[in-house]
Amino acid sequence: MLAEESILSKGKLQTFLVWEEESEEEPKLKYERLSNGVTEILQKDAASCMTVHDKFLALGTHYGKVYLLDIQGNITQKFDVSPVKINQISLDESGEHMGVCSEDGKVQVFGLYSGEEFHETFDCPIKIVAVHPHFLRSSCKQFVTGGKKLLLFERSWMSRWKSSVLHEGEGNIRSVKWRGHLIAWANNMGVKIFDITSKQRITNVPRDDISLRPDMYPCSLCWKDNVTLIIGWGTSVKICSVKERHASDMRDLPSRYVEIVSQFETEFYISGLAPLCDQLVMLSYVKEVSEKTEREYCARPRLDIIQPLSETCEEISSDALTVRGFQENECRDYHLEFSEGESLFYIVSPRDVVVAKERDQDDHIDWLLEKKKYEEALMAAEISQKNIKRHKILDIGLAYINHLVEKGEYDIAARKCQKILGKNTALWEYEVYKFKEIGQLKAISPYLPRGDPVLKPLIYEMILHEFLESDYEGFATLIREWPGDLYNNSVIVQAVLDHLKKDSQNRTLLQTLAELYTYDKNYGNALEIYLTLRHKDVFQLIHKHNLFSSIKDKIVLLMDFDSEKAVDMLLDNEDKISIKKVVEELEDRPELQHVYLHKLFKRDHHKGQRYHEKQISLYAEYDRPNLLPFLRDSTHCPLEKALEICQQRNFVEETVYLLSRMGNSRSALKMIMEELNDVDKAIEFAKEQDDGELWEDLILYSIDKPPFITGLLNNIGTHVDPILLIHRIKEGMEIPNLRDSLVKILQDYNLQILLREGCKKILVADSLSLLKKMHRTQMKGILVDEENICESCLSPILPSDAAKPFSVVVFHCRHMFHKECLPVPSMNSPAQFCNICSAKHRGPGSAILEMKK
């Protein structure tokens, strides 16, 4: 396919066509045609050679002219050197000296900015010339020329030039490259390298394909660095490395030698080589065979980037170049020159000069956009936004959105708007209208900005109307997600009301209308709709906006919807809706009234005491399992009323409890035995009451009922003497499991004896231990000093004059008295006790110490 490089403006490089294969791989180079002065030159003349300096270009023509050009191709100087073809131009590294040779044997070496000049005309065509890279230095005034032999010219100390033959006898010298102290040249037989320092030739690299005419398929030489030479000849490439020879290996050999580090064949004939980092740029001459005529013809030259390996190479990229007149060109007509400083490559042909350069980030983005890889282009622009010059992130983003819309990927396009449009409200509004035109407002709605920035209310209203017409659920979702201040609430409310006229029972619309009323602080209408819909958010709405005054007449509705949540809410807010008001509202719904009062009782047994009498009937009717716990926990319900209700409904367990609570335990026990016929429960009841008469009644009732006797025998042992029951059993009565019951009585008796003996031992041991501890405590001394006082007279316990006699009594309770302050003990009770501890009933504290002096 043809790819056109977009350089169109006058005064710059012209549009250039590159023939590329259909590939998803991005090209490595971009191409531009050198125009301006070059175009004028090549309209009347043809390019024969060119050399490149970092500052300018030097172009030689078939009519013997040499032009100095700037990098845009504008002519800065012109030299008429010869009437015939210029074969080669050479520049030193400073760019101040130039060497030129022509087909008529002329050689000129001169300073571009000085009068220094060398002229010589030979009797044969001079194919090559090369000046010393440091020709500017006085010690380096050297250059070589080549025709049938290679001559080295050197300026002597008297400013005279002397020549010496470096090589001859192997045909014409057709290529030369000078780098540092090394000169490489090619003749018909191969490539030689000469060391200018040691004046020695250090290698000879023979030509591989001797069938090719060296004048038609010349050798291409290129120094990658000071010691690496790249040779391209025919279809063969060799990379040579100049190395220092070890001193022990020298003998009569040169101090340096050459090692071929890589060698491989190519598909096409080589017209030029140039280094690119660790890769090679190779210009190839291509011949193809026509399918129609089966004749060979000249095809477009190729510029390849290859990665050299030891015995082969890997193609990185390959471009076919549409240069002018390529159909008539031969391999020798193409040249490849390069500028090391800027990685620029010049493809020179008789009618065209093309510049190849490495693609920058802008070119990378161009290629991605051309391949419609917009997302990658956008990412590349974001990463390199400081380096790109021709592209803007926003423009790429907008192109990406348009591309997605064209493909019909509306949701992805809308999602990308968030990132690409950012806070640009004008662009947002433009994109919304664009989505409206294609009927895709729904696609962009989830991604519209809702805070910073905020678009015009009309934009949001337009989208809401779109949903309202076709998608009630989507409309409801937007109302829930969008803040209410994005749009005119009253406008949307009216639109919803208009739709409800057509479908008044639509739950989605009603719920959405309630939310809109909430945004508009019209909580009364919102609450009414929520209650009608029995919506779960009704309680949240009441709490959030304190709507308790609005629900006083809607308590039944709330209880019908969710009685548990409603009761919790009412009880949590008793200060806003009183218990009395709730009970009154639920008067016609006793089952709901019971739920409310039951939960109130669970929270606080005393708050609803005025309703405990009512609750007896409610529990009996709706919740009998909780009636007995209520009767047990309530201290405010009337027992007579409760007993009446329980007896009416024949609630035996509740009646038994009430009878026992009212003191009528005998009636309660009788009911258990007669109504429930449950000896275990009767025994348990007797145990709880712990009344001997009750046990007597139980025994009397059970004496003629063998199963009851068995139950009593199994359980009575620890509460009543079993002998009382056994003596009353009639002789001959069959009692189930009598033996087991008697054994159990004996075991229980033995267990009681063992427990008593164990307790006795423990008691004796504890008493002895405590007695010893008390004795040790009482034997201890007690400190008495000046800080202690008499507990009776409150004066210091010790006299200020230690010489005076004194008497002090100290009790074990640590209280101290002057002996004269204590009462005189009576004859009946000679022991003395602490007055303070005796008065506080702490027990008598007998005196433990009497101090006298």
Side-chain angles (χ1 to χ4, degrees):
M1 60 180 261
L2 284 175
E4 184 173 295
E5 300 288 346
S6 55
I7 305 296
L8 301 173
S9 58
K10 188 175 181 182
K12 292 188 178 179
L13 301 175
Q14 294 180 344
T15 301
F16 181 69
L17 296 179
V18 180
W19 184 269
E20 299 174 335
E21 296 179 358
E22 281 286 352
S23 173
E24 287 300 314
E25 188 174 346
E26 182 179 359
K28 302 296 182 184
L29 301 172
K30 63 176 178 178
Y31 301 90
E32 297 165 333
R33 178 167 279 125
L34 199 60
S35 57
N36 301 324
V38 174
T39 304
E40 298 174 10
I41 295 168
L42 299 184
Q43 284 176 350
K44 302 174 183 179
D45 204 341
S48 61
C49 62
M50 190 171 81
T51 190
V52 177
H53 191 269
D54 291 342
K55 300 175 183 176
F56 61 92
L57 313 174
L59 178 68
T61 71
H62 279 261
Y63 288 173
K65 309 291 191 294
V66 175
Y67 296 91
L68 298 187
L69 312 167
D70 61 18
I71 58 174
Q72 278 81 31
N74 298 302
I75 301 171
T76 59
Q77 275 185 281
K78 175 184 175 184
F79 302 95
D80 289 318
V81 176
S82 171
V84 296
K85 176 184 173 185
I86 303 296
N87 284 329
Q88 191 165 2
I89 303 170
S90 175
L91 293 168
D92 67 350
E93 289 184 357
S94 67
E96 296 185 13
H97 294 84
M98 182 167 65
V100 182
C101 66
S102 59
E103 192 68 21
D104 59 0
K106 287 184 179 180
V107 175
Q108 292 186 27
V109 178
F110 55 92
L112 294 176
Y113 311 108
S114 66
E116 187 177 7
E117 189 172 1
F118 169 84
H119 288 271
E120 185 70 48
T121 302
F122 296 89
D123 57 359
C124 65
I126 300 300
K127 299 296 184 181
I128 59 97
V129 64
V131 300
H132 195 293
H134 305 296
F135 193 87
L136 183 64
R137 302 175 188 172
S138 59
S139 60
C140 298
K141 299 296 184 182
Q142 298 171 315
F143 66 90
V144 294
T145 63
K148 292 181 180 179
K149 52 188 175 182
L150 184 67
L151 296 177
L152 172 64
F153 289 84
E154 301 176 277
R155 194 165 69 174
S156 65
W157 61 278
M158 294 184 67
S159 298
R160 293 183 179 180
W161 292 92
K162 67 174 184 177
S163 64
S164 56
V165 178
L166 298 183
H167 188 72
E168 63 180 332
E170 293 184 356
N172 285 334
I173 311 297
R174 300 189 183 276
S175 180
V176 66
K177 292 292 179 182
W178 192 332
R179 179 76 174 244
H181 299 294
L182 300 175
I183 304 172
W185 73 90
N187 56 27
N188 292 351
M189 304 305 293
V191 176
K192 282 74 175 170
I193 300 177
F194 185 81
D195 187 343
I196 197 71
T197 305
S198 63
K199 303 293 186 181
Q200 289 179 308
R201 195 175 74 186
I202 60 176
T203 191
N204 174 38
V205 182
R207 177 159 69 110
D208 290 337
D209 189 355
I210 59 174
S211 65
L212 296 175
R213 287 176 52 184
D215 60 328
M216 297 298 292
Y217 298 91
C219 177
S220 297
L221 299 176
C222 168
W223 286 101
K224 180 180 179 181
D225 51 44
N226 288 342
V227 294
T228 306
L229 177 67
I230 305 170
I231 304 171
W233 206 337
T235 59
S236 172
V237 176
K238 296 177 181 177
I239 300 176
C240 306
S241 178
V242 179
K243 299 185 176 181
E244 297 289 338
R245 196 184 301 274
H246 195 272
S248 61
D249 298 333
M250 277 192 186
R251 300 177 185 173
D252 298 329
L253 299 174
S255 60
R256 296 182 178 184
Y257 69 97
V258 171
E259 179 182 327
I260 298 176
V261 295
S262 176
Q263 179 175 347
F264 52 88
E265 293 292 320
T266 64
E267 185 179 357
F268 306 112
Y269 298 109
I270 299 166
S271 294
L273 292 167
L276 178 62
C277 299
D278 61 337
Q279 299 170 342
L280 290 181
V281 178
M282 183 170 66
L283 178 63
S284 301
Y285 171 69
V286 182
K287 280 191 174 183
E288 295 180 353
V289 178
S290 172
E291 293 180 0
K292 295 180 180 180
T293 63
E294 296 185 356
R295 295 179 61 183
E296 199 173 53
Y297 68 93
C298 298
R300 295 174 178 82
R302 302 184 68 88
L303 192 70
D304 301 332
I305 298 178
I306 60 174
Q307 178 67 58
L309 304 174
S310 58
E311 296 182 358
T312 183
C313 66
E314 179 184 348
E315 184 181 281
I316 305 300
S317 71
S318 181
D319 298 321
L321 311 180
T322 308
V323 299
R324 294 189 182 105
F326 69 87
Q327 299 88 343
E328 293 86 26
N329 293 340
E330 297 291 340
C331 183
R332 64 184 177 183
D333 294 324
Y334 294 109
H335 306 279
L336 179 63
E337 301 292 338
F338 68 98
S339 171
E340 293 185 25
E342 300 181 15
S343 295
L344 296 176
F345 305 92
Y346 294 85
I347 299 94
V348 183
S349 68
R351 296 294 179 187
D352 217 347
V353 179
V354 175
V355 184
K357 61 176 70 175
E358 288 189 275
R359 297 169 66 88
D360 57 18
Q361 199 64 16
D362 280 299
D363 300 314
H364 174 59
I365 293 171
D366 281 333
W367 183 83
L368 291 172
L369 293 176
E370 179 187 336
K371 296 295 181 181
K372 300 190 182 302
K373 298 182 178 182
Y374 291 95
E375 187 164 11
E376 293 178 35
L378 187 61
M379 189 181 302
E382 289 172 347
I383 294 172
S384 306
Q385 56 183 326
K386 293 182 179 179
N387 299 324
I388 56 177
K389 299 174 182 177
R390 293 187 284 105
H391 293 95
K392 293 181 180 178
I393 294 175
L394 181 59
D395 293 339
I396 298 171
L398 292 174
Y400 185 24
I401 293 171
N402 291 335
H403 170 69
L404 292 171
V405 169
E406 289 172 5
K407 286 176 63 179
E409 297 179 1
Y410 304 114
D411 184 69
I412 300 175
R415 196 182 318 130
K416 294 297 179 183
C417 286
Q418 280 186 312
K419 178 181 178 182
I420 294 166
L421 304 182
K423 298 182 179 182
N424 192 321
T425 55
L427 284 176
W428 266 111
E429 291 170 5
Y430 172 78
E431 289 298 328
V432 170
Y433 280 111
K434 190 166 72 175
F435 273 75
K436 183 179 185 300
E437 290 174 5
I438 58 176
Q440 292 296 329
L441 277 177
K442 290 183 180 179
I444 201 172
S445 63
Y447 309 105
L448 285 185
R450 305 173 188 180
D452 183 19
V454 174
L455 309 182
K456 294 176 182 176
L458 182 62
I459 299 293
Y460 301 100
E461 292 167 15
M462 180 171 65
I463 292 175
L464 289 173
H465 279 292
E466 177 78 14
F467 274 91
L468 191 55
E469 293 297 329
S470 57
D471 183 1
Y472 288 161
E473 291 296 335
F475 173 75
T477 300
L478 290 184
I479 293 298
R480 282 194 299 272
E481 293 178 353
W482 284 359
D485 56 354
L486 292 180
Y487 47 85
N488 189 328
N489 202 59
S490 59
V491 172
I492 304 302
V493 168
Q494 187 57 50
V496 174
L497 290 173
D498 292 341
H499 278 265
L500 281 171
K501 291 177 183 177
K502 307 171 190 174
D503 187 3
S504 60
Q505 299 304 313
N506 189 289
R507 291 183 61 84
T508 302
L509 284 181
L510 286 170
Q511 182 178 331
T512 308
L513 182 61
E515 291 174 5
L516 289 168
Y517 279 140
T518 303
Y519 294 148
D520 210 22
K521 298 184 179 180
N522 191 346
Y523 302 122
N525 288 344
L527 180 62
E528 189 171 342
I529 294 173
Y530 277 136
L531 286 172
T532 303
L533 296 175
R534 301 168 69 88
H535 194 274
K536 60 183 179 60
D537 289 343
V538 65
F539 299 102
Q540 182 182 351
L541 181 72
I542 295 168
H543 276 293
K544 186 175 181 180
H545 302 292
N546 196 19
L547 303 180
F548 296 98
S549 59
S550 303
I551 64 168
K552 289 182 178 179
D553 57 346
K554 299 179 176 64
I555 293 174
V556 174
L557 288 174
L558 287 169
M559 293 284 286
D560 279 335
F561 171 42
D562 190 330
S563 60
E564 186 173 348
K565 283 187 178 180
V567 169
D568 286 338
M569 181 188 70
L570 293 169
L571 292 178
D572 290 340
N573 296 274
E574 290 177 33
D575 55 329
K576 296 165 184 170
I577 302 179
S578 66
I579 297 172
K580 180 181 179 183
K581 175 64 178 175
V582 176
V583 174
E584 288 174 357
E585 286 293 319
L586 298 175
E587 194 64 43
D588 296 333
R589 295 291 299 276
E591 73 280 9
L592 298 179
Q593 197 177 56
H594 163 68
V595 172
Y596 174 77
L597 290 173
H598 172 65
K599 205 148 196 177
L600 174 64
F601 180 74
K602 285 291 185 183
R603 288 198 180 190
D604 190 325
H605 293 347
H606 307 289
K607 272 191 177 178
Q609 57 182 317
R610 61 187 294 187
Y611 303 108
H612 284 197
E613 182 177 348
K614 177 189 284 290
Q615 281 186 268
I616 298 170
S617 301
L618 293 174
Y619 276 112
E621 182 69 28
Y622 302 109
D623 190 10
R624 185 189 169 184
N626 282 313
L627 174 57
L628 186 56
F630 169 74
L631 294 173
R632 283 177 176 157
D633 294 337
S634 173
T635 57
H636 305 288
C637 67
L639 299 180
E640 295 81 0
K641 178 68 175 178
L643 181 62
E644 180 185 348
I645 293 173
C646 291
Q647 287 176 338
Q648 287 175 356
R649 294 178 177 266
N650 197 26
F651 291 170
V652 178
E653 289 186 17
E654 292 81 354
T655 303
V656 168
Y657 170 74
L658 290 169
L659 287 172
S660 65
R661 187 170 169 185
M662 295 169 70
N664 196 351
S665 300
R666 304 186 77 171
S667 298
L669 180 63
K670 184 179 179 181
M671 180 169 282
I672 292 173
M673 299 185 72
E674 292 179 353
E675 298 291 336
L676 297 179
N677 200 27
D678 188 341
V679 66
D680 292 331
K681 186 164 287 199
I683 293 169
E684 189 66 32
F685 179 76
K687 287 179 181 180
E688 289 176 1
Q689 301 301 318
D690 196 20
D691 185 349
E693 293 182 1
L694 210 57
W695 281 108
E696 184 69 23
D697 291 343
L698 180 56
I699 292 170
L700 289 174
Y701 182 81
S702 305
I703 201 67
D704 58 349
K705 299 177 180 64
F708 275 47
I709 293 174
T710 301
L712 284 171
L713 289 173
N714 288 333
N715 294 280
I716 200 173
T718 56
H719 296 275
V720 178
D721 188 353
I723 299 299
L724 296 175
L725 175 61
I726 294 170
H727 283 167
R728 296 187 185 189
I729 300 173
K730 296 178 181 179
E731 291 186 12
M733 179 181 287
E734 290 187 8
I735 300 171
N737 301 317
L738 176 61
R739 184 174 64 85
D740 294 338
S741 299
L742 292 175
V743 169
K744 186 175 185 301
I745 290 173
L746 292 174
Q747 288 175 342
D748 290 345
Y749 179 76
N750 287 332
L751 180 62
Q752 289 181 22
I753 297 300
L754 289 173
L755 287 173
R756 287 179 182 177
E757 288 178 355
C759 291
K760 181 179 178 182
K761 289 179 181 178
I762 293 170
L763 182 61
V764 171
D766 285 351
S767 299
L768 181 59
S769 174
L770 292 172
L771 180 61
K772 289 178 179 179
K773 183 178 180 182
M774 183 183 73
H775 182 262
R776 286 196 304 271
T777 303
Q778 291 181 347
M779 291 298 291
K780 291 180 180 179
I782 298 175
L783 175 66
V784 179
D785 56 19
E786 295 82 358
E787 295 182 0
N788 297 113
I789 61 171
C790 173
E791 298 292 345
S792 179
C793 65
L794 302 180
S795 60
I797 197 71
L798 299 176
S800 56
D801 186 0
K804 292 182 178 180
F806 65 91
S807 181
V808 175
V809 177
V810 181
F811 292 93
H812 290 297
C813 58
R814 298 297 194 270
H815 291 133
M816 303 177 186
F817 298 89
H818 295 124
K819 187 171 183 179
E820 57 270 20
C821 294
L822 285 172
V824 179
S826 64
M827 294 298 293
N828 297 329
S829 178
Q832 285 187 315
F833 300 99
C834 174
N835 294 343
I836 297 174
C837 292
S838 298
K840 293 182 178 179
H841 306 288
R842 292 179 179 171
S846 59
I848 63 166
L849 180 65
E850 183 174 341
M851 298 176 62
K852 295 182 179 179
K853 185 177 178 182

